[in-house]
Amino acid sequence: MAVTRPRGPRSGDDLPDGVRLVPVVPGILDDDPSDPGRNAQRALGDCWLIATIDALMETADGRTRLRAGIRWDAAARGYRVRLHDRMGRPRIVLVTRVLQGGAGLDDGGQGIVSLYEAAAYALYGWNGARSHLPSFGVRALTNTRTFTRVRLAGRISHAAVKSGGSAGGGVCLAGTRPLWPWEAKRIVPARRMPSGGTFEVSVEPDHVYEIVDIRGGLIGLRNPWGPGNTADGGGVFYVTRGVFDAAFFGVTGTKVTGLG
């Protein structure tokens, strides 16, 4: 497999406000809890990638696959991270710096999400890493074929939603409706489990969420923005089927087993 040198941002002039390149730290694989509830997307527009990592971390096969794609190289003082290019070919990216202010753990530390994010920006370029659909996240990380179902007659197939999610041992992601000039984020009622308390959630346009499970007719979602975010506070929240149909445009899913 080819080794790809970073061709993403090289200096602070290339980065969004509040983001800079910092050296990686050793021991990320040892310290990362592989808990999707601990990941935070933060400043960069790569929800397609972070939501896919969250979904993979829901299952043992997914966690194994993510960890198998990262190797510490002591001589290079960096991590060799495996992704797949747009043609599905495996590529190894040497990551010696990550994006501070980008994806990481909820305590501010570097995590598996930090390494895959830095590799994605190196492999796909600065603009390319911020402009992909959920299906590309699955292919980039696993090279697994996906299904995608979009809104038909105002509804998304319930079978498509049920076939994904951690309860089904797979990966299932939901994309929100595109942001047109007359549309904005949607404020919708949601619930936490098991308390069942209702609160308001801001469903962001042009955004990707992980579908965690379906419980009692409610669809459980996780925002890759992570803990403490201003849209939903972090954690899994549940919405009714009607809310889901109104706010989301399509569902992408796959089964992930073994290392492939």
Side-chain angles (χ1 to χ4, degrees), residues 86-184:
R86 292 176 176 83
M87 302 298 293
R89 296 170 298 197
R91 292 290 185 262
I92 302 297
V93 182
L94 175 61
V95 174
T96 59
R97 296 187 295 175
V98 297
L99 296 148
Q100 187 180 68
L105 300 179
D106 60 342
D107 61 4
Q110 297 177 15
I112 288 173
V113 289
S114 310
L115 298 177
Y116 276 110
E117 178 180 76
Y121 277 81
L123 183 59
Y124 311 127
W126 184 244
N127 290 327
R130 293 183 292 175
S131 59
H132 284 299
L133 298 173
S135 57
F136 187 78
V138 178
R139 292 199 304 271
L141 288 160
T142 72
N143 200 31
T144 304
R145 295 182 64 180
T146 63
F147 69 78
T148 298
R149 301 288 185 269
V150 297
R151 294 168 59 91
L152 296 173
R155 293 176 65 84
I156 300 172
S157 165
H158 195 63
V161 179
K162 289 188 68 175
S163 65
S166 60
V171 172
C172 200
L173 306 169
T176 59
R177 293 180 62 176
L179 176 60
W180 300 107
W182 57 87
E183 286 189 317

